[in-house]
Amino acid sequence: MSAPLLEVNNLAMHFPVREGLLLRARAFNRAVDGVSFSIGPGETLGLVGESGCGKSTLGRCVARLYQPTGGSIRFDGQDITSMPARTLRPLRQDIQMIFQDPMESLNSRHTVGDILEEPFLVQKIGDRLWRQKRVAELLNTVGLPARSASRYPFEFSGGQRQRIGIARAIALNPKLVICDEPVSALDVSIQSQILNLLVDLQREFNLSYLFIAHDLAVVKHVSDRVAIMYLGKIVETAASETIYHQARHPYTKSLIAAIPVPDPHRSVQRQVLRGDVPSPINPPSGCSFHPRCPVAEPRCAEQEPELIDSGAGQLAACHLIQRQT
Amino acid sequence: MALLEVDNLVTEFATDEGLVRAVDGVSFSVEPGATVGIVGESGCGKSVTALSIMRLLPQPMGRIASGEIRFQDRDLAQLPIPEMEKIRGCRIGMVFQEPMTALNPVHTIGRQLTEGMLLHKICEPANALRAAADLLDRVGIPSPEVRLGEYPHQLSGGMRQRVVIAMALACRPSLLIADEPTTALDVTIQAQILELIKDLQAEMGMAVIMITHDLGVIAETCDQVVVMYAGKVAERGTVFDIFDRPAHPYSRGLLQSIPRLDTEPKSRLGVIEGMVPGLRDLPLGCRFENRCEYAMDRCRELVPVLEQVADGHSVSCIRWRDL
């Protein structure tokens, strides 16, 4: 196995919750709380979880849009965890992001040509003519006509705008693209066009993806491996072929069971997960899933389970799995 | 006899650039106690259909231009507003997508829940809070008495949607219209809400119109399905007709484009090329013609009408026999 492109170790992002006259930090929102994973070249790691589980915060930490409060991020052999902005800037070419809502992430006052040219200006690459040629190439790569360059984002549909966002992300030939809910805002027929495009681009440019989404079916479709997050922690990781049939963690199982299946012949006999996700400011003791877990035991409230290998590269953090093996 | 019959409904909006037909000749019916799904992508007219039935079209832009909406022997499309107000929220309940906007942020849950019950005079003012607490209990909200005094922002998204459902069901309606009731919710919460609607439906015997873009939700909850595209009905049939024997190229395309849990990772998904046409520049013939892989010259000229494929299954495509 080749060396991983990205190695994240015990990463933490605790946001202070400030209160009172002096705005002292009274508590911490443990949005990301001790997460480790790695991504190889050309590989996709899918990150799934419900709202508030910390998946987007994790993505932003990896892109160094946030300064993590603990742990380390190694990218392409270098530790970038607390690298100062000046040294980080050339590396930013290699780590790019695609956001959920392309209307908010594209500057509405710039033409598409300006938006796609900007990465080259920031990194001081090429002359004007060269950049314009490159913009035309990028538009072609993502399936938009070259004349789009002179138009504004509002003139495009949601799916086309996401194509522009993708073109911008791949402009500088990055190694890693962090996709944060890239298809959640799109209609199903458009969603499949964008998913196919992302898979094609990965093959063509050997991109690595950190693919963040709440929809397990979508994530499983584009990923090599899938990590399930709950309340700031990864509770299970597995190959995407196996996660559906061999989920071990009770949370993963209930997540899979909750997804409505587009097959009217399947009779619905599901164990519905009770209650809501607790607050990451004051997470439950022990295993943070224990208040909602259908199989929790007394020790689950006391001891925090570790992620352990449960065979064939599948990791799960649950006391009850340890007993089985 | 059908509980609700929508017949050739046309709904128009006056915009700066002229009149736009958001719903153009839509017909379907809902039997008592049944669940009918309306599925389609953004802009297909599914929500406008619901708002037309409820007579909640944005005023003064929106209006029902023609067609009938027969509900319990009356035509809702023609009903005077005071008469409609007796039906709305009483015999027809509605659940919206975003519970935070459906609830009033400055009134307590108790006040919002009792408002409808008092308006429709289904309980005495003295008993209203008691009845409201019972309702909250019924939709699975713990310690309902405490919740009655709280405000919407104090509840989670799933709890808020339960309150909205409780409000819609306060008068035991015979029809519930749910417009994307779970789209804003997480998948484990979605499962709770869908189960709740199903249980309440069985208990009260009401019919449900489930409006969604999610084919999974349709497959799990509906008996009948209406597939809409660009303001028209593309196909209509039982849930098995639509999933097992889709006759319209659009229904087929939709079913092939969704990633499923059991598909091969990184395999190619089916796509429907292009995008939904704007309501101002619709194709002249079939509205799906410019995205359809089976389109012929005839499709560009002829406006298709709903043809019967089998009993209860109809499709609006002139080529359905060839496919």
Short mmCIF file of all heavy atoms in Angstrom, two decimals, chain B residues 217-268:
data_model
loop_
_atom_site.label_atom_id
_atom_site.label_comp_id
_atom_site.label_asym_id
_atom_site.label_seq_id
_atom_site.Cartn_x
_atom_site.Cartn_y
_atom_site.Cartn_z
N VAL B 217 -39.21 7.55 0.07
CA VAL B 217 -40.36 7.90 0.91
C VAL B 217 -41.66 7.47 0.20
O VAL B 217 -42.57 6.91 0.81
CB VAL B 217 -40.38 9.41 1.22
CG1 VAL B 217 -41.66 9.82 1.91
CG2 VAL B 217 -39.17 9.79 2.07
N ILE B 218 -41.73 7.70 -1.11
CA ILE B 218 -42.91 7.30 -1.89
C ILE B 218 -43.12 5.78 -1.79
O ILE B 218 -44.20 5.31 -1.47
CB ILE B 218 -42.71 7.69 -3.39
CG1 ILE B 218 -42.73 9.21 -3.55
CG2 ILE B 218 -43.75 7.02 -4.27
CD1 ILE B 218 -44.09 9.85 -3.58
N ALA B 219 -42.04 5.03 -2.02
CA ALA B 219 -42.15 3.57 -2.02
C ALA B 219 -42.62 3.04 -0.67
O ALA B 219 -43.38 2.08 -0.60
CB ALA B 219 -40.82 2.93 -2.40
N GLU B 220 -42.18 3.70 0.39
CA GLU B 220 -42.52 3.19 1.71
C GLU B 220 -43.89 3.61 2.21
O GLU B 220 -44.45 2.94 3.06
CB GLU B 220 -41.45 3.64 2.73
CG GLU B 220 -40.19 2.86 2.54
CD GLU B 220 -39.27 2.92 3.75
OE1 GLU B 220 -39.58 3.63 4.72
OE2 GLU B 220 -38.24 2.24 3.69
N THR B 221 -44.41 4.73 1.71
CA THR B 221 -45.63 5.22 2.34
C THR B 221 -46.87 5.21 1.44
O THR B 221 -47.97 5.25 1.96
CB THR B 221 -45.45 6.68 2.83
OG1 THR B 221 -45.06 7.49 1.72
CG2 THR B 221 -44.37 6.79 3.89
N CYS B 222 -46.70 5.15 0.10
CA CYS B 222 -47.85 5.45 -0.75
C CYS B 222 -48.53 4.23 -1.36
O CYS B 222 -47.89 3.21 -1.60
CB CYS B 222 -47.43 6.40 -1.87
SG CYS B 222 -46.83 7.95 -1.22
N ASP B 223 -49.84 4.37 -1.63
CA ASP B 223 -50.59 3.38 -2.39
C ASP B 223 -50.61 3.78 -3.86
O ASP B 223 -50.41 2.97 -4.74
CB ASP B 223 -52.03 3.29 -1.88
CG ASP B 223 -52.08 3.10 -0.37
OD1 ASP B 223 -51.41 2.18 0.11
OD2 ASP B 223 -52.77 3.89 0.31
N GLN B 224 -50.90 5.06 -4.09
CA GLN B 224 -50.99 5.59 -5.45
C GLN B 224 -49.90 6.65 -5.62
O GLN B 224 -49.53 7.30 -4.65
CB GLN B 224 -52.35 6.28 -5.67
CG GLN B 224 -53.55 5.43 -5.37
CD GLN B 224 -53.84 4.47 -6.51
OE1 GLN B 224 -53.65 4.82 -7.67
NE2 GLN B 224 -54.26 3.27 -6.18
N VAL B 225 -49.44 6.81 -6.86
CA VAL B 225 -48.38 7.79 -7.12
C VAL B 225 -48.75 8.63 -8.34
O VAL B 225 -49.25 8.11 -9.34
CB VAL B 225 -47.01 7.10 -7.37
CG1 VAL B 225 -45.93 8.14 -7.60
CG2 VAL B 225 -46.64 6.18 -6.23
N VAL B 226 -48.51 9.93 -8.23
CA VAL B 226 -48.65 10.84 -9.37
C VAL B 226 -47.25 11.39 -9.63
O VAL B 226 -46.65 12.01 -8.76
CB VAL B 226 -49.61 12.00 -9.04
CG1 VAL B 226 -49.76 12.94 -10.23
CG2 VAL B 226 -50.97 11.48 -8.59
N VAL B 227 -46.71 11.14 -10.84
CA VAL B 227 -45.41 11.69 -11.19
C VAL B 227 -45.65 12.96 -11.99
O VAL B 227 -46.33 12.94 -13.00
CB VAL B 227 -44.58 10.69 -12.04
CG1 VAL B 227 -43.21 11.27 -12.37
CG2 VAL B 227 -44.44 9.36 -11.34
N MET B 228 -45.11 14.08 -11.49
CA MET B 228 -45.33 15.34 -12.18
C MET B 228 -44.05 15.84 -12.84
O MET B 228 -42.95 15.62 -12.34
CB MET B 228 -45.84 16.42 -11.20
CG MET B 228 -47.30 16.24 -10.85
SD MET B 228 -47.94 17.61 -9.84
CE MET B 228 -47.96 18.95 -11.03
N TYR B 229 -44.22 16.49 -13.98
CA TYR B 229 -43.08 17.09 -14.66
C TYR B 229 -43.53 18.39 -15.32
O TYR B 229 -44.49 18.37 -16.10
CB TYR B 229 -42.50 16.13 -15.71
CG TYR B 229 -41.23 16.65 -16.34
CD1 TYR B 229 -40.02 16.53 -15.67
CD2 TYR B 229 -41.24 17.29 -17.57
CE1 TYR B 229 -38.85 17.03 -16.21
CE2 TYR B 229 -40.08 17.79 -18.12
CZ TYR B 229 -38.88 17.66 -17.44
OH TYR B 229 -37.73 18.15 -17.97
N ALA B 230 -42.87 19.47 -15.02
CA ALA B 230 -43.14 20.79 -15.62
C ALA B 230 -44.63 21.13 -15.64
O ALA B 230 -45.17 21.56 -16.66
CB ALA B 230 -42.55 20.86 -17.03
N GLY B 231 -45.31 20.93 -14.51
CA GLY B 231 -46.69 21.37 -14.38
C GLY B 231 -47.74 20.39 -14.83
O GLY B 231 -48.93 20.65 -14.71
N LYS B 232 -47.30 19.26 -15.39
CA LYS B 232 -48.27 18.27 -15.87
C LYS B 232 -48.04 16.92 -15.22
O LYS B 232 -46.96 16.64 -14.72
CB LYS B 232 -48.14 18.12 -17.40
CG LYS B 232 -48.79 19.23 -18.18
CD LYS B 232 -48.65 18.93 -19.68
CE LYS B 232 -49.31 19.98 -20.53
NZ LYS B 232 -50.78 19.93 -20.51
N VAL B 233 -49.09 16.07 -15.29
CA VAL B 233 -48.94 14.71 -14.81
C VAL B 233 -48.25 13.90 -15.91
O VAL B 233 -48.74 13.83 -17.04
CB VAL B 233 -50.31 14.08 -14.47
CG1 VAL B 233 -50.15 12.60 -14.14
CG2 VAL B 233 -50.96 14.83 -13.33
N ALA B 234 -47.08 13.33 -15.60
CA ALA B 234 -46.39 12.50 -16.58
C ALA B 234 -46.94 11.08 -16.52
O ALA B 234 -47.14 10.43 -17.54
CB ALA B 234 -44.89 12.50 -16.32
N GLU B 235 -47.18 10.61 -15.31
CA GLU B 235 -47.65 9.23 -15.14
C GLU B 235 -48.38 9.11 -13.82
O GLU B 235 -48.08 9.83 -12.86
CB GLU B 235 -46.44 8.28 -15.17
CG GLU B 235 -46.82 6.81 -15.12
CD GLU B 235 -45.65 5.90 -15.47
OE1 GLU B 235 -44.54 6.40 -15.68
OE2 GLU B 235 -45.88 4.68 -15.51
N ARG B 236 -49.33 8.18 -13.78
CA ARG B 236 -50.17 8.03 -12.60
C ARG B 236 -50.50 6.56 -12.47
O ARG B 236 -50.84 5.91 -13.47
CB ARG B 236 -51.45 8.82 -12.87
CG ARG B 236 -52.19 9.31 -11.68
CD ARG B 236 -53.31 10.22 -12.13
NE ARG B 236 -54.24 9.52 -13.01
CZ ARG B 236 -55.18 10.11 -13.74
NH1 ARG B 236 -55.31 11.42 -13.71
NH2 ARG B 236 -55.98 9.41 -14.48
N GLY B 237 -50.37 6.01 -11.28
CA GLY B 237 -50.70 4.59 -11.12
C GLY B 237 -50.48 4.16 -9.70
O GLY B 237 -50.22 4.99 -8.81
N THR B 238 -50.58 2.84 -9.44
CA THR B 238 -50.29 2.36 -8.10
C THR B 238 -48.78 2.42 -7.90
O THR B 238 -48.02 2.54 -8.87
CB THR B 238 -50.73 0.90 -7.91
OG1 THR B 238 -49.92 0.08 -8.76
CG2 THR B 238 -52.20 0.69 -8.24
N VAL B 239 -48.36 2.33 -6.65
CA VAL B 239 -46.93 2.39 -6.37
C VAL B 239 -46.19 1.26 -7.09
O VAL B 239 -45.06 1.42 -7.55
CB VAL B 239 -46.71 2.39 -4.83
CG1 VAL B 239 -47.04 1.06 -4.21
CG2 VAL B 239 -45.30 2.82 -4.48
N PHE B 240 -46.86 0.14 -7.28
CA PHE B 240 -46.23 -0.99 -7.99
C PHE B 240 -46.15 -0.71 -9.49
O PHE B 240 -45.17 -1.07 -10.14
CB PHE B 240 -46.98 -2.29 -7.71
CG PHE B 240 -46.97 -2.65 -6.25
CD1 PHE B 240 -48.11 -2.51 -5.47
CD2 PHE B 240 -45.80 -3.09 -5.65
CE1 PHE B 240 -48.08 -2.81 -4.12
CE2 PHE B 240 -45.76 -3.39 -4.30
CZ PHE B 240 -46.91 -3.25 -3.53
N ASP B 241 -47.19 -0.06 -10.06
CA ASP B 241 -47.12 0.33 -11.47
C ASP B 241 -45.90 1.19 -11.71
O ASP B 241 -45.13 0.98 -12.65
CB ASP B 241 -48.36 1.16 -11.86
CG ASP B 241 -49.63 0.32 -11.93
OD1 ASP B 241 -49.50 -0.90 -12.16
OD2 ASP B 241 -50.72 0.88 -11.75
N ILE B 242 -45.71 2.20 -10.85
CA ILE B 242 -44.66 3.19 -11.08
C ILE B 242 -43.27 2.59 -10.87
O ILE B 242 -42.33 2.87 -11.63
CB ILE B 242 -44.85 4.42 -10.15
CG1 ILE B 242 -46.23 5.05 -10.37
CG2 ILE B 242 -43.74 5.44 -10.34
CD1 ILE B 242 -46.47 5.62 -11.76
N PHE B 243 -43.10 1.75 -9.85
CA PHE B 243 -41.77 1.21 -9.58
C PHE B 243 -41.45 -0.05 -10.40
O PHE B 243 -40.31 -0.27 -10.77
CB PHE B 243 -41.60 0.91 -8.08
CG PHE B 243 -41.34 2.14 -7.26
CD1 PHE B 243 -42.39 2.96 -6.87
CD2 PHE B 243 -40.06 2.52 -6.91
CE1 PHE B 243 -42.17 4.11 -6.13
CE2 PHE B 243 -39.82 3.67 -6.16
CZ PHE B 243 -40.88 4.46 -5.78
N ASP B 244 -42.46 -0.86 -10.69
CA ASP B 244 -42.19 -2.12 -11.42
C ASP B 244 -42.36 -1.97 -12.92
O ASP B 244 -41.68 -2.62 -13.70
CB ASP B 244 -43.15 -3.22 -10.95
CG ASP B 244 -42.95 -3.56 -9.48
OD1 ASP B 244 -41.92 -3.14 -8.92
OD2 ASP B 244 -43.82 -4.25 -8.91
N ARG B 245 -43.33 -1.14 -13.34
CA ARG B 245 -43.62 -1.03 -14.76
C ARG B 245 -43.71 0.43 -15.17
O ARG B 245 -44.73 0.86 -15.73
CB ARG B 245 -44.98 -1.69 -15.07
CG ARG B 245 -45.18 -3.07 -14.51
CD ARG B 245 -46.63 -3.54 -14.66
NE ARG B 245 -47.48 -3.12 -13.56
CZ ARG B 245 -47.53 -3.74 -12.37
NH1 ARG B 245 -46.78 -4.80 -12.13
NH2 ARG B 245 -48.33 -3.29 -11.41
N PRO B 246 -42.69 1.25 -14.88
CA PRO B 246 -42.83 2.66 -15.25
C PRO B 246 -42.99 2.79 -16.75
O PRO B 246 -42.24 2.17 -17.51
CB PRO B 246 -41.52 3.30 -14.76
CG PRO B 246 -40.55 2.17 -14.69
CD PRO B 246 -41.36 0.95 -14.33
N ALA B 247 -43.98 3.56 -17.20
CA ALA B 247 -44.25 3.65 -18.63
C ALA B 247 -43.71 4.94 -19.22
O ALA B 247 -43.48 5.02 -20.42
CB ALA B 247 -45.76 3.55 -18.87
N HIS B 248 -43.50 5.95 -18.39
CA HIS B 248 -43.01 7.23 -18.92
C HIS B 248 -41.48 7.26 -18.86
O HIS B 248 -40.90 6.87 -17.85
CB HIS B 248 -43.59 8.38 -18.10
CG HIS B 248 -43.52 9.70 -18.81
ND1 HIS B 248 -42.35 10.38 -18.98
CD2 HIS B 248 -44.47 10.44 -19.43
CE1 HIS B 248 -42.59 11.51 -19.65
NE2 HIS B 248 -43.88 11.55 -19.94
N PRO B 249 -40.84 7.76 -19.93
CA PRO B 249 -39.37 7.82 -19.91
C PRO B 249 -38.84 8.64 -18.73
O PRO B 249 -37.75 8.35 -18.22
CB PRO B 249 -39.02 8.52 -21.22
CG PRO B 249 -40.19 8.31 -22.10
CD PRO B 249 -41.39 8.20 -21.22
N TYR B 250 -39.61 9.62 -18.28
CA TYR B 250 -39.15 10.43 -17.14
C TYR B 250 -39.17 9.60 -15.85
O TYR B 250 -38.20 9.63 -15.09
CB TYR B 250 -40.03 11.67 -16.99
CG TYR B 250 -39.66 12.52 -15.79
CD1 TYR B 250 -38.40 13.10 -15.70
CD2 TYR B 250 -40.55 12.70 -14.74
CE1 TYR B 250 -38.05 13.86 -14.60
CE2 TYR B 250 -40.21 13.47 -13.64
CZ TYR B 250 -38.95 14.04 -13.57
OH TYR B 250 -38.60 14.78 -12.49
N SER B 251 -40.24 8.85 -15.62
CA SER B 251 -40.30 8.00 -14.42
C SER B 251 -39.15 7.00 -14.44
O SER B 251 -38.50 6.75 -13.42
CB SER B 251 -41.61 7.23 -14.34
OG SER B 251 -42.69 8.00 -14.75
N ARG B 252 -38.90 6.42 -15.60
CA ARG B 252 -37.79 5.46 -15.72
C ARG B 252 -36.47 6.12 -15.40
O ARG B 252 -35.64 5.57 -14.67
CB ARG B 252 -37.70 4.94 -17.15
CG ARG B 252 -38.83 4.06 -17.54
CD ARG B 252 -38.61 3.65 -18.98
NE ARG B 252 -39.66 2.76 -19.40
CZ ARG B 252 -39.50 1.84 -20.33
NH1 ARG B 252 -38.34 1.72 -20.94
NH2 ARG B 252 -40.48 1.06 -20.66
N GLY B 253 -36.26 7.30 -15.99
CA GLY B 253 -35.02 8.04 -15.77
C GLY B 253 -34.80 8.35 -14.29
O GLY B 253 -33.71 8.17 -13.77
N LEU B 254 -35.87 8.78 -13.63
CA LEU B 254 -35.77 9.10 -12.20
C LEU B 254 -35.34 7.87 -11.41
O LEU B 254 -34.46 7.93 -10.57
CB LEU B 254 -37.12 9.56 -11.66
CG LEU B 254 -37.50 11.03 -11.74
CD1 LEU B 254 -38.80 11.24 -10.97
CD2 LEU B 254 -36.41 11.91 -11.15
N LEU B 255 -36.00 6.74 -11.70
CA LEU B 255 -35.71 5.52 -10.94
C LEU B 255 -34.28 5.05 -11.17
O LEU B 255 -33.66 4.47 -10.28
CB LEU B 255 -36.70 4.41 -11.32
CG LEU B 255 -38.09 4.59 -10.71
CD1 LEU B 255 -39.11 3.70 -11.40
CD2 LEU B 255 -38.04 4.27 -9.23
N GLN B 256 -33.75 5.30 -12.38
CA GLN B 256 -32.39 4.85 -12.66
C GLN B 256 -31.33 5.80 -12.13
O GLN B 256 -30.16 5.43 -12.03
CB GLN B 256 -32.20 4.69 -14.18
CG GLN B 256 -32.82 3.40 -14.68
CD GLN B 256 -33.08 3.47 -16.18
OE1 GLN B 256 -32.67 4.40 -16.85
NE2 GLN B 256 -33.76 2.46 -16.69
N SER B 257 -31.73 7.03 -11.81
CA SER B 257 -30.70 8.00 -11.43
C SER B 257 -30.42 8.02 -9.93
O SER B 257 -29.50 8.70 -9.50
CB SER B 257 -31.09 9.40 -11.92
OG SER B 257 -32.27 9.81 -11.27
N ILE B 258 -31.21 7.29 -9.12
CA ILE B 258 -30.95 7.37 -7.68
C ILE B 258 -29.92 6.33 -7.25
O ILE B 258 -30.02 5.15 -7.60
CB ILE B 258 -32.24 7.19 -6.82
CG1 ILE B 258 -33.14 6.12 -7.44
CG2 ILE B 258 -32.95 8.48 -6.63
CD1 ILE B 258 -34.33 5.81 -6.60
N PRO B 259 -28.90 6.77 -6.48
CA PRO B 259 -27.96 5.79 -5.95
C PRO B 259 -28.68 4.96 -4.88
O PRO B 259 -29.43 5.50 -4.08
CB PRO B 259 -26.85 6.64 -5.33
CG PRO B 259 -27.37 8.01 -5.23
CD PRO B 259 -28.61 8.13 -6.02
N ARG B 260 -28.51 3.66 -4.93
CA ARG B 260 -29.15 2.80 -3.94
C ARG B 260 -28.09 2.17 -3.07
O ARG B 260 -26.93 2.09 -3.45
CB ARG B 260 -29.96 1.69 -4.63
CG ARG B 260 -31.13 2.26 -5.42
CD ARG B 260 -31.63 1.23 -6.43
NE ARG B 260 -32.49 1.87 -7.40
CZ ARG B 260 -33.81 1.71 -7.45
NH1 ARG B 260 -34.41 0.90 -6.60
NH2 ARG B 260 -34.52 2.33 -8.35
N LEU B 261 -28.51 1.68 -1.92
CA LEU B 261 -27.53 1.10 -1.01
C LEU B 261 -26.89 -0.15 -1.59
O LEU B 261 -25.78 -0.51 -1.24
CB LEU B 261 -28.20 0.78 0.32
CG LEU B 261 -28.40 2.00 1.22
CD1 LEU B 261 -29.27 1.65 2.39
CD2 LEU B 261 -27.06 2.52 1.71
N ASP B 262 -27.58 -0.83 -2.53
CA ASP B 262 -27.01 -2.08 -3.03
C ASP B 262 -26.38 -1.95 -4.41
O ASP B 262 -26.04 -2.94 -5.03
CB ASP B 262 -28.08 -3.19 -3.02
CG ASP B 262 -29.36 -2.75 -3.70
OD1 ASP B 262 -29.38 -1.62 -4.24
OD2 ASP B 262 -30.33 -3.51 -3.69
N THR B 263 -26.19 -0.71 -4.91
CA THR B 263 -25.50 -0.60 -6.20
C THR B 263 -23.99 -0.65 -5.98
O THR B 263 -23.48 -0.36 -4.91
CB THR B 263 -25.84 0.73 -6.94
OG1 THR B 263 -25.62 1.81 -6.05
CG2 THR B 263 -27.27 0.75 -7.44
N GLU B 264 -23.29 -1.00 -7.04
CA GLU B 264 -21.83 -1.10 -7.03
C GLU B 264 -21.23 0.30 -6.82
O GLU B 264 -21.57 1.24 -7.53
CB GLU B 264 -21.40 -1.67 -8.38
CG GLU B 264 -19.94 -1.97 -8.53
CD GLU B 264 -19.52 -3.17 -7.70
OE1 GLU B 264 -20.38 -3.96 -7.25
OE2 GLU B 264 -18.31 -3.30 -7.50
N PRO B 265 -20.30 0.46 -5.83
CA PRO B 265 -19.69 1.78 -5.66
C PRO B 265 -18.98 2.25 -6.94
O PRO B 265 -18.38 1.45 -7.65
CB PRO B 265 -18.67 1.56 -4.54
CG PRO B 265 -19.18 0.39 -3.80
CD PRO B 265 -19.86 -0.49 -4.81
N LYS B 266 -19.07 3.54 -7.20
CA LYS B 266 -18.45 4.20 -8.35
C LYS B 266 -18.94 3.69 -9.71
O LYS B 266 -18.30 3.92 -10.72
CB LYS B 266 -16.92 4.12 -8.28
CG LYS B 266 -16.36 4.78 -7.04
CD LYS B 266 -14.90 5.11 -7.20
CE LYS B 266 -14.35 5.65 -5.88
NZ LYS B 266 -12.97 6.01 -5.94
N SER B 267 -20.06 2.95 -9.73
CA SER B 267 -20.63 2.57 -11.02
C SER B 267 -21.35 3.80 -11.58
O SER B 267 -21.63 4.74 -10.86
CB SER B 267 -21.61 1.42 -10.85
OG SER B 267 -22.62 1.79 -9.94
N ARG B 268 -21.63 3.78 -12.87
CA ARG B 268 -22.30 4.95 -13.46
C ARG B 268 -23.78 4.92 -13.14
O ARG B 268 -24.44 3.91 -13.29
CB ARG B 268 -22.12 4.96 -14.98
CG ARG B 268 -20.77 5.46 -15.40
CD ARG B 268 -20.79 5.91 -16.85
NE ARG B 268 -21.21 7.29 -17.00
CZ ARG B 268 -20.48 8.34 -16.60
NH1 ARG B 268 -19.33 8.17 -16.03
NH2 ARG B 268 -20.92 9.56 -16.79
#
